[in-house]
Amino acid sequence: VAFSSQPQGAQVFVNGQRLGTTPTKALTFDEGNYQARFSVPGHDDAVVSFTVGAGSSQTVSATLQAMQGTLVI
């Protein structure tokens, strides 16, 4: 499983464990269901669920939205 994001450079956590920064090279997972969280400063986190099957190859991707703010003067 490889991970990518827009913008690039997001930290990737799978089931709470940090795996690296996007884009990642392909990583090996046991069969099962997982949850990936993508985090980059100034953006809302994105969470993506994915399933790994026997012999499968996939890329898990997320688009992180820029945080919105309000300034009252």
Side-chain angles (χ1 to χ4, degrees), residues 29-52:
F29 287 84
D30 292 331
E31 290 183 52
N33 298 313
Y34 297 89
Q35 188 174 68
R37 180 172 58 88
F38 297 80
S39 180
V40 68
H43 293 74
D44 293 324
D45 287 358
V47 177
V48 178
S49 295
F50 65 100
T51 300
V52 175

Side-chain angles (χ1 to χ4, degrees), residues 3-60:
F3 297 89
S4 66
S5 68
Q6 188 61 26
Q8 291 185 358
Q11 303 247 355
V12 181
F13 300 84
V14 173
N15 292 354
Q17 180 180 1
R18 185 179 180 281
L19 295 184
T21 303
T22 61
T24 70
K25 56 186 172 185
L27 304 169
T28 302
F29 287 84
D30 292 331
E31 290 183 52
N33 298 313
Y34 297 89
Q35 188 174 68
R37 180 172 58 88
F38 297 80
S39 180
V40 68
H43 293 74
D44 293 324
D45 287 358
V47 177
V48 178
S49 295
F50 65 100
T51 300
V52 175
S56 68
S57 175
Q58 62 182 304
T59 298
V60 178

